[in-house]
Amino acid sequence: MSVKQKEKPILEVKDLVAEFTTAAGRLRILDGIDFSLFPAEILALVGETGCGKSVTAKSIMNLLAEQVCKRRGKVMMDGVNLLDLSKKQMRSYLGRRISMIFQNPIASINPVFTLGEQIRRLVRIHMAGEITRVKSELGCTTAAAIDRLAAANLEKVGLTDVDQLMRAYAHQISGGMAQRYRIATAVLGNPDVLIADEATSALDVTVQAHILRLLKRLSAEKNTAIIFITHDLGIAAQLCQQVAVMYSGRIVEVAPTAELFKNPLHPYTRGLLKAVPQLSRKTGLEHIPGTIPDLRNPPSGCRFHPRCRQAMERCRRLRPPLVETKSHQVCCHLYDAGNKEAAWAKS
Amino acid sequence: MTMKDELKYKHLAEQAAREHRRERKIRTIAFLKRKSAAAALLVLVLITLAAVFAPLVAPYPDQGKGAVNLGERLQPLSGKHLLGTDTFGRDILSRLVYGARVSIFGGLFIVCAAALIGVPLGLWAGYSEGAPGVVISRIGEILISFPAVLIAIAITTVIGAGLTSAVIALIIPWWPWYARIIQGEVLRLKRMLFVEAAQMLGYGKSYILFRHLLPNIMRTVMVMMLLDFGPAIISIGLLGFLGLGTQPPNADWGLMVWEGAPNLMQQPWIAISPGAAMFILVMAFNIFGDNLQDYLDG
Amino acid sequence: MLPFLIRRLAGLVFLLLILTMLVFGLSRALPGDVAAMYVGLKAKPEQIQKARLELGLDKPVHVQYLRYMGRLLKGDLGISLRTHRPVARDLKEKLPLSLEIVLLALLISIALGLPMGVVAAFKRDTWIDSAVNMIGSAAVSLPIFFLALLLQLVFFNWLGWFPLQGRISTMMEFRDPLPAVTRFGLIDALLAGDLEYMADMAWHMFLPVVSLASIPLGLVARLSRSSLLEVMQADYIMAARASGVGETVLFFRYGLRNALSPVLSIMGLSMALMLLNTFYVEQIFNYPGIGYWALASIFSLDYPVLVAITLVLGAIYVLSNTIIDVLRRWVDPRIK
Amino acid sequence: MKMRSLILMALVLLMATLPIPARAGQKNIVYATSADVTTWDPSASYSTELTYMVNIYETLIRVNPPGSKEPFSYILTTGMQASDDGLIYTFDLRKGVKFHDGTAFNAEAVKLSIERTKKIGKGAAFIWSDLEKIEIINPYKIRFIMSKPVPLPQIAASAYASYIISPSVIDKEPAWFDEGHECGTGPYMLKNYRAGESWMLTRFKDYWGGWEKDQIDNILVKISNDSLVKLKMLLSGQAAIVNAVPSDSYKAVRDGKKTKVVYGPSYVNYIVFFNTARPPLDNVKVRRALAYAFPYKDIIKVAFDGKATHSRGIVPKGQFGHDERVFQYTFDPQKAKALLKEAGYGGKPLKLVMTYVAGNQAETRMAPLMKDQLKKIGVELELKPLSWPAQWELGKRAEKDGQDLFLLMWWPTYSDPYETLVSLLGTEKKTLWNFAYYSNPEYDRLIRKAYETVGTDRQAALEMYIKAQNIIQKDAPAVAIADAKTAIPALRRLEGIVVNPAYPGGLFFYQMRLR
């Protein structure tokens, strides 16, 4: 599969900027994010913690309080810029067109209501049509219909013993079950886009595998596009067709998975790959010298240059453009006109 | 670790430290920018100064200390007596100033003593679960469920009424709250940190516990003490009002309200000024405490 | 649940046992010749001696204590040194009066405080929010005796809207008293179908109840606000939002219930606090409940009464906390 | 707070719709007072319940207020004869008197009542200690035989321990009475007793004295310890009569359009005891110095609103035994300083402790004034307000470690000075009232002799009493500060309020009229 798809993208993010106003001043967390997502595509969004992966997701979903986070740019979904929508308008998209699951599944289930209570409410919100259908088919009450649908959705994600589960509370189930349940609730409105924010990081490896398989199946069956946010390149490799590497609020390189691993272009990507497999927040820093830049006064030009072995004079001055190579999109001065040779020479 | 690594860690540590200091500076500024906090602080400072320098601040220090002045009984508010005089002709303002000493230093003493007793016990109870924990919390429960007024009476009948007995009577049911909170805090942190410790191998649990524990505890205690100041001051006032606190002719806001209450209809100022003073002081403490809490929670 | 209740009950018994020992011990250790007080003013030595035997004060303390406990189990709390009436009987009369106003105050403080806090949180950083904050702080900063006096001054002296003192109008007292069924005035009046009586009592309760409610109201308003704000930051709220649940549902159903448990836990404290504050409120409003009784007994060192009151307060404190824990388990299934 | 005021308005409206009717035709008044009941047993009663007792029960004779023509008026008797040796008294009993339960009053009732009181031996029963026996001559003639010539009329008229109880309840336990039961011959009956809260005195239809218009049907007694509340109740007309208002408010009440203050003599006085058992007050000069240093006039002004008299000896003004010939200490700082110097306490300031009752308005007001003046003569007086039991307890075991000065409010049990003089300063083996720990055999002998003479030779007795009091003034083990006046704040419409110092705090509602 190549970056240049014939079909048009389901979600298109153009120059997305998010600025946080804190006691510490204004922080530019997202500094112009660009990427597009195609139906049934699974896109990995990788990068060190604090590079703005989650913020990207949440700004797309408009989950951040306005007074804290100012957003600019475009998040296009079939011709509508989601950033222009009010919270109210946005709600008609959430869960129906675009949905999200979070890192800690248990914490993201309301602890004082039964799972059933919560999923039923979502069924009522998103599946009005089905409810009437089921009612007419089985001639049962609305309540019964809702129960049926809720159960069905839970079974779809491979949960067994559903009735009992619906009576359970968050603290009574395992992380794996919780995440399956969350997925069920997230996709029951058949969204076109599902954002999975570190969806498997908190789970142990075997469970991880199950969840990954589940997500794959989903995108295949319902041809849902998935943005899979992770700091674990290994998982990205297993799951995704496309990988976007983020660094300090920018996407520095996008490429088909195989391509990226075979031939990473951006120095940062290379650094990351060197760190695989035991890449993780703590050890990550050891392989790329220096630390994540201080967002209060980010480095001029290319935000990576202080840590870049190949940094050139212009990196300090100019913000690198997004360069399209034959298979990659990369955001580095090494690859804009005139410097290609040099780059190839090095790689 | 190699030489190089060590250097790098050192560098990182310094950077982190710098970060931290900077964070705090910025937050402090933001904190003081809040009007309410600043106002509260101002009030507190003023009253405290007045209390400390009472002899200089009070227009009639001797009357503040209780000397009667029958020439000017029950004077209304005037230039000579800004807040009027009471039934012994004593200048209310002067008595307020001297009364502030009781409220502020009494309150301070209670809160500090309660913390000094409660925190260590709480730490002990929380750290060594089992017997000590149970015993301490049981004792605490009993003392808490014991009306302070009755304790005060008991003490008063033995060593006589006075600020001392009032303060003691209040400390006795006060410290258990600290013990309780700290115990809970310790337990919570233990759970939390042991989970982490399990993840990041190598570190000794107790090492982690104490490296993380004490700072956290100290913050909690600080906020608690600040928020307890108001209640402590009110409690002293309550006992004073019942005549179980400061003894006449000394000044104490609660006592002054009691002395003034009978004249509430003809000379309302006698009872209202000390009551209002108490209200303002406590309010200031509460507002300041709230702000500080937000500030510490970041 | 059941084992929990049993555990709590055991705790209660234990507590009361200790309390009796403490207070009884005190009542004997402290100065103040019980016999002399029993005989009263201008007692003659031989009379005091007689009373000493009559009250069994000649026996060693532990014997006296055991006797006391024996009688306590039979519901006999001894004789008041001041009024020479059985303490238990007076307690039966006076406790309901105080409980009535305390519970009403609790009710008001929840019924007003919770909405205030919720609205403040919902309208965060608006003038409403800061207004609620101010009111909350003010409410907890008012010394109860001062508030009570102010209320009297304003609502009786200046506005004349509310009665000055007592639990019913003197006019009413010239009638024969209501049959004491529950001993809760309002309920009894209702049972007797005497609305006039009931209204009159409510009217008299108003100011005392307001004074008592002030502090809990402040606590509830502030706490519900802050805990609600905290809850609204939680992952599960964001998750629900992300799956398209509406804001109002998020706030008033998903958020509120989570925010409730800390608010509840402040209630137990408030109960205890208010019971102590009845000492002042009832004194100032001349309201004949246990607070008034306690104060009168304190200053005449009426030990049998003081012991009884301490026990009752301790018991109520523990019981109310137990009830509240039950409620908390109900709103928050996580509490084990 | 908007919510609150809404609720408030709602309630107010509710009130408006529910008028509270007054009982038409009946004369009802409310008496707000701090005078609570310690027992309803007329034999044991020895405290503030006297206020109500004198309305429920009656004595054979009653002492008249000072200034009346007759020393006594006959209540349950119509006549009295004493033998010359003052040992035998014969009473003619009033006929047609009924107890509240209808039982007829007669000699048997008298005999049983007095004997019951003597047997129970509580309260003031000691006043009968010199009674040998009671003989019934006929149902309406009875004879008291005494072992010593003590003043029986005063005793029979005592405010305590001399009430006549119906034979129908003579065997009842005190507990029965304390439930709120009674059975006397008085004009009023007890109803709806709520201990420490309120109760009602209601008209006894068949009272032997009969009833005229404007007399009061029901008196609702409301206990209130808060003088401010009582003031407000009076000013708002809720209460027709109260037992006290805040000291600084008497003027306002006195000058009120609707309110007045009825002043009358009282045997209540305030006495300071000096601890003669230990230095420095074992030195008579120091005691005298203090006596000269008290600001009597200021105290009367501030603590008694001017309505009290500067004491002259410990026998209160108006009572038999009080006399102008008794020496009086006056405020004289110079003399005080001089005496202190003589005593050798010129230079270094003396530190003394004074105890008094925290709840007593007058005492809490005079204490600071004393402190202030003593300071001027170089005496540092530490004030120690206590609850009465605590003060009393301390005083009883205080010779060595307790107070130096003991401020006491005192009133006599019956209208003869003996009780006061013997209880307060007579020699005591075990301290009970003599907080000066003073003992003077000559004094003891003198007052006892006077007591036994008074029945036969009143004048001689008076001389002895004066002598005794001057001994006290010379030794100064105690000095009386002020003889209080009874002050009864009431509505102007309420007339016929008579103050009788022989019955401290007693209110004779039967004599009152509500216009």
Side-chain angles (χ1 to χ4, degrees):
Chain A
M1 209 191 298
S2 114
V3 181
K4 307 197 176 38
Q5 292 277 2
K6 295 293 146 283
E7 51 192 316
K8 59 188 251 315
I10 179 75
L11 180 76
E12 211 168 359
V13 178
K14 284 219 183 68
D15 189 29
L16 174 60
V17 174
E19 274 177 338
F20 279 56
T21 43
T22 68
R26 291 180 126 247
L27 307 184
R28 205 170 228 248
I29 304 289
L30 298 187
D31 182 26
I33 300 286
D34 303 286
F35 70 87
S36 355
L37 184 68
F38 296 89
E41 178 187 28
I42 305 186
L43 168 73
L45 198 57
V46 300
E48 294 168 86
T49 314
C51 70
K53 304 188 297 282
S54 304
V55 176
T56 313
K58 286 169 184 164
S59 347
I60 293 172
M61 304 282 292
N62 186 10
L63 292 179
L64 297 160
E66 281 91 346
Q67 54 263 62
V68 186
C69 168
K70 296 261 168 301
R71 301 171 306 156
R72 273 188 280 101
K74 280 204 177 67
V75 176
M76 303 304 291
M77 213 168 177
D78 44 64
V80 181
N81 181 354
L82 297 186
L83 300 197
D84 300 342
L85 300 180
S86 70
K87 273 216 187 306
K88 225 180 182 53
Q89 295 165 311
M90 187 65 193
R91 204 180 311 141
S92 57
Y93 282 76
L94 293 178
R96 226 168 277 217
R97 306 296 319 282
I98 177 165
S99 191
M100 180 166 176
I101 59 178
F102 295 83
Q103 169 157 19
N104 179 346
I106 295 193
S108 53
I109 301 174
N110 196 321
V112 303
F113 292 94
T114 59
L115 302 183
E117 204 283 346
Q118 298 176 60
I119 192 166
R120 272 192 224 98
R121 179 172 298 278
L122 288 169
V123 171
R124 233 178 278 116
I125 295 173
H126 294 306
M127 306 182 81
E130 287 81 343
I131 294 174
T132 43
R133 208 195 70 239
V134 172
K135 270 172 75 180
S136 58
E137 276 180 11
L138 305 170
C140 60
T141 64
T142 318
I146 292 172
D147 273 351
R148 244 176 138 41
L149 289 164
N153 277 290
L154 291 178
E155 277 149 1
K156 271 202 209 109
V157 297
L159 285 166
T160 53
D161 198 341
V162 171
D163 308 357
Q164 196 221 348
L165 193 67
M166 298 244 281
R167 265 178 271 106
Y169 289 95
H171 65 282
Q172 295 166 329
I173 60 174
S174 73
M177 292 164 88
Q179 196 56 293
R180 285 175 186 276
Y181 168 85
R182 283 286 303 128
I183 294 172
T185 54
V187 301
L188 101 187
N190 289 321
D192 306 305
V193 177
L194 173 65
I195 305 180
D197 182 359
E198 301 276 7
T200 58
S201 317
L203 307 173
D204 51 23
V205 187
T206 49
V207 184
Q208 251 183 29
H210 289 120
I211 297 295
L212 294 180
R213 227 173 287 123
L214 174 60
L215 288 173
K216 247 197 169 94
R217 211 183 75 225
L218 273 173
S219 77
E221 287 171 0
K222 302 189 166 181
N223 105 15
T224 316
I226 298 178
I227 302 177
F228 191 88
I229 297 173
T230 179
H231 58 255
D232 184 337
L233 279 172
I235 293 177
Q238 289 176 45
L239 182 68
C240 312
Q241 299 96 9
Q242 196 81 343
V243 177
V245 180
M246 259 188 97
Y247 180 77
S248 178
R250 288 202 74 181
I251 288 183
V252 292
E253 183 166 10
V254 184
T257 315
E259 184 56 34
L260 185 97
F261 280 86
K262 191 150 87 300
N263 170 22
L265 295 186
H266 197 285
Y268 176 65
T269 317
R270 292 182 190 153
L272 279 182
L273 288 178
K274 287 215 195 69
V276 175
Q278 72 278 38
L279 170 109
S280 83
R281 136 195 248 167
K282 304 203 172 32
T283 54
L285 299 175
E286 298 187 3
H287 295 77
I288 307 168
T291 54
I292 319 161
D294 171 2
L295 291 168
R296 257 180 255 104
N297 44 3
S300 57
C302 171
R303 280 186 173 184
F304 184 60
H305 79 256
R307 300 168 70 184
C308 181
R309 293 207 180 77
Q310 294 155 286
M312 301 170 289
E313 191 277 338
R314 79 167 86 170
C315 296
R316 284 173 196 73
R317 291 198 338 283
L318 304 174
R319 195 167 175 284
L322 189 68
V323 183
E324 299 249 348
T325 69
K326 56 182 174 331
S327 58
H328 292 245
Q329 295 171 291
V330 61
C331 183
C332 176
H333 286 297
L334 290 173
Y335 305 102
D336 48 0
N339 275 71
K340 288 220 177 66
E341 306 73 16
W344 290 122
K346 285 198 180 56
S347 61
Chain B
M1 272 195 282
T2 68
M3 186 61 206
K4 179 167 153 300
D5 287 341
E6 272 176 31
L7 281 174
K8 185 162 81 220
Y9 278 120
K10 202 152 154 297
H11 161 77
L12 287 177
E14 284 161 2
Q15 191 176 15
R18 239 179 290 116
E19 285 299 312
H20 187 90
R21 277 197 296 280
R22 175 160 185 191
E23 270 297 316
R24 194 192 288 147
K25 200 158 118 264
I26 294 166
R27 291 234 303 281
T28 315
I29 294 161
F31 170 64
L32 286 178
K33 280 210 198 91
R34 302 183 178 189
K35 281 187 218 62
S36 58
L41 188 58
L42 185 68
V43 172
L44 293 182
V45 172
L46 287 181
I47 296 183
T48 315
L49 287 178
V52 175
F53 300 107
L56 307 176
V57 179
Y60 305 90
D62 53 337
Q63 292 177 22
K65 287 205 228 59
V68 303
N69 167 28
L70 296 180
E72 301 176 297
R73 299 184 58 207
L74 306 170
Q75 297 290 310
L77 286 59
S78 69
K80 187 148 180 281
H81 299 285
L82 289 178
L83 293 177
T85 65
D86 66 9
T87 185
F88 292 109
R90 299 175 299 203
D91 178 53
I92 302 278
L93 179 58
S94 311
R95 293 186 66 69
L96 275 189
V97 171
Y98 274 85
R101 294 184 148 183
V102 174
S103 293
I104 290 199
F105 301 128
L108 186 67
F109 191 84
I110 291 173
V111 174
C112 294
L116 283 181
I117 303 170
V119 172
L121 286 175
L123 278 172
W124 183 38
Y127 190 60
S128 64
E129 286 162 77
V134 177
V135 172
I136 289 173
S137 48
R138 271 262 171 274
I139 295 177
E141 196 177 37
I142 289 161
L143 292 181
I144 286 177
S145 61
F146 207 105
V149 184
L150 294 181
I151 302 178
I153 272 292
I155 297 173
T156 318
T157 39
V158 179
I159 68 174
L163 185 55
T164 338
S165 24
V167 167
I168 297 173
L170 287 173
I171 292 171
I172 289 174
W174 210 289
W175 67 262
W177 294 108
Y178 285 78
R180 239 187 216 186
I181 304 279
I182 297 306
Q183 185 179 1
E185 189 78 350
V186 174
L187 291 174
R188 194 175 60 75
L189 284 166
K190 257 161 91 181
R191 307 264 172 284
M192 216 177 70
L193 292 170
F194 286 164
V195 175
E196 260 186 35
Q199 286 173 351
M200 45 169 132
L201 306 152
Y203 290 112
K205 287 182 180 178
S206 60
Y207 166 76
I208 296 171
L209 189 54
F210 277 97
R211 229 187 73 247
H212 295 64
L213 200 57
L214 292 173
N216 281 297
I217 299 289
M218 277 354 282
R219 156 184 298 189
T220 319
V221 173
M222 233 176 80
V223 174
M224 233 182 126
M225 285 173 75
L226 204 64
L227 292 179
D228 268 6
F229 238 111
I233 290 170
I234 289 188
S235 308
I236 296 181
L238 288 172
L239 290 184
F241 183 77
L242 291 187
L244 297 174
T246 318
Q247 289 308 310
N250 302 329
D252 161 299
W253 290 352
L255 181 65
M256 286 170 74
V257 175
W258 180 79
E259 288 173 334
N263 299 51
L264 195 63
M265 293 180 77
Q266 287 88 359
Q267 298 88 14
W269 59 85
I270 303 178
I272 287 183
S273 354
M278 192 180 259
F279 171 59
I280 291 169
L281 178 60
V282 174
M283 184 98 174
F285 266 116
N286 285 339
I287 292 176
F288 187 74
D290 293 349
N291 284 306
L292 191 74
Q293 197 172 19
D294 303 355
Y295 159 68
L296 286 177
D297 299 350
Chain C
M1 182 57 92
L2 191 64
F4 159 77
L5 285 177
I6 293 168
R7 213 164 52 249
R8 277 313 192 83
L9 221 61
L12 173 59
V13 173
F14 173 78
L15 178 81
L16 291 187
L17 202 66
I18 301 289
L19 277 184
T20 47
M21 286 187 198
L22 276 177
V23 191
F24 191 88
L26 277 176
S27 73
R28 290 297 179 268
L30 293 179
D33 179 347
V34 175
M37 286 185 243
Y38 180 74
V39 179
L41 277 170
K42 296 191 172 185
K44 292 273 172 288
E46 54 280 4
Q47 296 172 335
I48 296 177
Q49 193 46 39
K50 213 156 140 250
R52 187 164 282 113
L53 300 178
E54 194 180 319
L55 299 173
L57 292 165
D58 48 339
K59 307 267 180 309
V61 178
H62 64 276
V63 177
Q64 292 183 37
Y65 176 70
L66 291 180
R67 284 188 173 184
Y68 178 81
M69 290 310 283
R71 279 191 266 102
L72 185 61
L73 295 179
K74 291 202 227 69
D76 173 1
L77 291 164
I79 304 281
S80 157
L81 302 181
R82 195 165 51 94
T83 64
H84 300 102
R85 281 164 53 90
V87 175
R89 146 196 292 271
D90 284 1
L91 189 65
K92 253 208 257 72
E93 270 183 19
K94 297 176 191 306
L95 183 59
L97 299 185
S98 300
L99 279 183
E100 202 168 19
I101 50 174
V102 165
L103 291 176
L104 276 175
L106 199 63
L107 215 65
I108 289 186
S109 55
I110 301 171
L112 295 186
L114 202 56
M116 280 166 69
V118 172
V119 171
F122 195 62
K123 299 240 174 266
R124 178 180 194 172
D125 299 327
T126 64
W127 68 272
I128 300 177
D129 185 11
S130 38
V132 168
N133 246 330
M134 271 299 137
I135 293 169
S137 311
V140 297
S141 308
L142 271 166
I144 182 96
F145 53 85
F146 181 55
L147 174 60
L149 285 171
L150 278 186
L151 289 174
Q152 261 188 352
L153 197 62
V154 174
F155 289 105
F156 174 75
N157 290 23
W158 298 350
L159 301 176
W161 287 358
F162 286 96
L164 166 69
Q165 58 85 36
R167 54 188 290 266
I168 48 174
S169 315
T170 46
M171 279 306 113
M172 288 288 186
E173 291 199 63
F174 284 108
R175 306 172 163 192
D176 290 339
L178 287 172
V181 187
T182 61
R183 292 183 182 278
F184 286 98
L186 292 176
I187 301 174
D188 281 355
L190 199 58
L191 292 178
D194 190 338
L195 288 182
E196 188 188 335
Y197 213 110
M198 190 173 160
D200 187 52
M201 265 190 272
W203 190 38
H204 280 74
M205 283 177 192
F206 188 79
L207 290 184
V209 167
V210 170
S211 333
L212 284 176
S214 152
I215 292 176
L217 179 104
L219 291 176
V220 172
R222 285 149 52 102
L223 200 65
S224 49
R225 173 182 176 276
S226 55
S227 88
L228 199 45
L229 285 178
E230 195 182 334
V231 165
M232 291 311 285
Q233 305 297 323
D235 284 7
Y236 52 83
I237 294 295
M238 189 181 280
R241 189 180 280 131
S243 3
V245 178
E247 284 303 313
T248 38
V249 175
L250 277 180
F251 196 89
F252 290 101
R253 183 162 175 74
Y254 284 6
L256 192 51
R257 180 144 175 203
N258 280 284
L260 225 48
S261 134
V263 177
L264 275 173
S265 47
I266 203 77
M267 286 295 139
L269 183 57
S270 305
M271 265 304 269
L273 193 68
M274 282 194 283
L275 277 168
L276 289 188
N277 283 344
T278 54
F279 286 30
Y280 303 87
V281 172
E282 292 184 354
Q283 177 67 19
I284 290 171
F285 289 103
N286 202 34
Y287 192 91
I290 47 165
Y292 192 88
W293 191 36
L295 221 52
S297 314
I298 279 177
F299 289 116
S300 56
L301 292 186
D302 192 342
Y303 288 124
V305 176
L306 294 183
V307 177
I309 286 174
T310 315
L311 292 185
V312 169
L313 292 188
I316 293 178
Y317 177 71
V318 175
L319 286 177
S320 51
N321 277 320
T322 314
I323 295 170
I324 277 148
D325 286 352
V326 173
L327 286 176
R328 287 181 59 215
R329 285 150 172 268
W330 172 64
V331 292
D332 187 342
R334 279 170 302 178
I335 299 171
K336 271 284 147 281
Chain D
M1 297 299 109
K2 272 201 247 75
M3 289 288 282
R4 279 193 189 176
S5 50
L6 279 179
I7 291 180
L8 180 154
M9 288 309 299
L11 269 161
V12 172
L13 292 176
L14 189 58
M15 288 310 100
T17 61
L18 295 164
I20 296 159
R23 286 298 171 82
Q26 288 222 330
K27 298 259 180 195
N28 297 337
I29 63 164
V30 174
Y31 172 49
T33 177
S34 44
D36 203 344
V37 169
T38 65
T39 176
W40 280 117
D41 184 332
S43 299
S45 163
Y46 195 7
S47 184
T48 46
E49 62 272 8
L50 174 125
T51 313
Y52 321 107
M53 284 291 180
V54 293
N55 293 286
I56 298 169
Y57 297 93
E58 291 177 305
T59 49
L60 295 177
I61 57 177
R62 185 178 291 159
V63 177
N64 286 338
S68 325
K69 297 183 254 37
E70 289 296 316
F72 302 103
S73 47
Y74 296 102
I75 305 300
L76 290 176
T77 53
T78 51
M80 168 181 79
Q81 306 85 33
S83 64
D84 303 347
D85 58 8
L87 288 175
I88 303 168
Y89 286 83
T90 318
F91 292 95
D92 312 305
L93 302 186
R94 188 176 295 277
K95 301 196 171 54
V97 175
K98 274 209 187 58
F99 287 99
H100 295 161
D101 66 351
T103 317
F105 163 81
N106 55 27
E108 190 206 3
V110 177
K111 189 175 198 299
L112 291 174
S113 301
I114 304 300
E115 283 171 356
R116 176 179 193 270
T117 303
K118 228 186 144 179
K119 187 167 107 285
I120 293 178
K122 285 204 172 128
F126 61 86
I127 63 176
W128 296 108
S129 49
D130 299 318
L131 171 68
E132 203 158 275
K133 65 176 188 306
I134 303 177
E135 288 174 352
I136 300 179
I137 298 163
N138 67 44
Y140 293 103
K141 206 170 193 43
I142 193 165
R143 177 183 294 146
F144 287 63
I145 298 167
M146 316 301 286
S147 55
K148 298 197 186 63
V150 292
L152 181 66
Q154 278 82 345
I155 295 171
S158 161
Y160 314 96
S162 56
Y163 295 113
I164 306 306
I165 314 161
S166 165
S168 56
V169 299
I170 207 79
D171 314 324
K172 298 286 189 198
E173 288 298 308
W176 180 82
F177 289 92
D178 289 339
E179 303 269 301
H181 299 118
E182 51 84 8
C183 194
T185 59
Y188 289 97
M189 301 186 292
L190 177 64
K191 209 171 113 192
N192 302 348
Y193 175 55
R194 288 179 69 95
E197 183 181 338
S198 72
W199 52 87
M200 189 130 69
L201 295 177
T202 184
R203 198 182 265 207
F204 171 45
K205 296 277 164 305
D206 319 340
Y207 179 59
W208 58 266
W211 295 95
E212 351 171 323
K213 80 181 266 290
D214 287 350
Q215 278 183 301
I216 294 155
D217 293 277
N218 302 298
I219 301 103
L220 177 72
V221 178
K222 275 201 74 56
I223 292 302
S224 161
N225 299 327
D226 183 343
S227 58
L228 177 63
V229 165
K230 284 181 279 195
L231 173 64
K232 290 176 175 171
M233 286 178 80
L234 185 65
L235 294 182
S236 60
Q238 284 180 44
I241 173 169
V242 302
N243 77 317
V245 297
S247 313
D248 296 327
S249 308
Y250 277 94
K251 193 175 177 313
V253 176
R254 208 159 49 226
D255 308 344
K257 220 184 270 65
K258 288 193 157 54
T259 57
K260 62 180 174 185
V261 180
V262 176
Y263 291 98
S266 115
Y267 294 160
V268 173
N269 60 352
Y270 291 81
I271 303 168
V272 177
F273 291 88
F274 301 122
N275 186 338
T276 62
R278 68 155 194 264
L281 292 179
D282 57 349
N283 180 332
V284 63
K285 288 211 173 65
V286 181
R287 300 204 292 266
R288 289 217 193 98
L290 297 192
Y292 277 117
F294 293 139
Y296 301 92
K297 297 273 166 296
D298 286 348
I299 288 173
I300 286 163
K301 180 161 117 242
V302 176
F304 298 94
D305 181 49
K307 301 294 180 190
T309 41
H310 178 182
S311 299
R312 183 178 283 278
I314 62 174
V315 176
K317 189 177 195 335
Q319 197 188 19
F320 173 66
H322 181 94
D323 195 283
E324 289 306 307
R325 283 171 290 165
V326 176
F327 174 78
Q328 181 181 48
Y329 282 97
T330 50
F331 178 51
D332 185 344
Q334 269 54 39
K335 209 181 204 125
K337 277 213 199 65
L339 280 163
L340 270 183
K341 205 175 252 81
E342 283 179 51
Y345 292 99
K348 56 193 180 313
L350 273 176
K351 287 198 134 300
L352 299 174
V353 178
M354 178 168 85
T355 62
Y356 60 97
V357 174
N360 182 314
Q361 243 190 51
E363 293 183 9
T364 45
R365 277 162 169 267
M366 54 177 99
L369 300 177
M370 295 174 166
K371 180 187 172 75
D372 207 49
Q373 284 305 334
L374 292 191
K375 202 186 190 115
K376 294 202 174 86
I377 65 161
V379 176
E380 191 50 59
L381 185 66
E382 185 197 327
L383 302 183
K384 202 166 179 193
L386 298 168
S387 65
W388 162 248
Q391 189 200 10
W392 194 20
E393 186 64 17
L394 192 64
K396 279 194 267 184
R397 52 177 181 75
E399 280 117 27
K400 297 287 155 280
D401 58 349
Q403 81 286 343
D404 301 289
L405 286 74
F406 189 111
L407 179 51
L408 174 75
M409 170 182 149
W410 172 264
W411 64 90
T413 307
Y414 54 97
S415 57
D416 184 274
Y418 176 68
E419 181 215 6
T420 304
L421 294 169
V422 72
S423 321
L424 297 186
L425 292 166
T427 307
E428 286 181 329
K429 277 183 256 49
K430 189 174 171 308
T431 305
L432 192 67
W433 287 104
N434 183 341
F435 302 115
Y437 320 111
Y438 172 75
S439 170
N440 180 337
E442 185 201 351
Y443 167 80
D444 296 343
R445 223 176 307 104
L446 204 53
I447 52 176
R448 182 66 203 179
K449 191 144 186 311
Y451 183 53
E452 290 174 6
T453 318
V454 74
T456 49
D457 183 345
R458 211 169 158 75
Q459 194 51 36
L462 177 60
E463 294 306 324
M464 285 184 250
Y465 279 135
I466 293 168
K467 194 150 178 286
Q469 287 181 72
N470 276 323
I471 294 174
I472 297 303
Q473 298 305 79
K474 189 165 122 299
D475 289 357
V479 54
I481 303 293
D483 300 353
K485 278 197 177 56
T486 305
I488 303 174
L491 295 179
R492 291 196 183 277
R493 326 174 23 224
L494 187 64
E495 298 167 1
I497 300 172
V498 178
V499 179
N500 188 339
Y503 304 90
L507 287 174
F508 297 88
F509 291 111
Y510 181 74
Q511 301 169 339
M512 297 184 193
R513 301 287 185 276
L514 189 66
R515 308 289 180 203

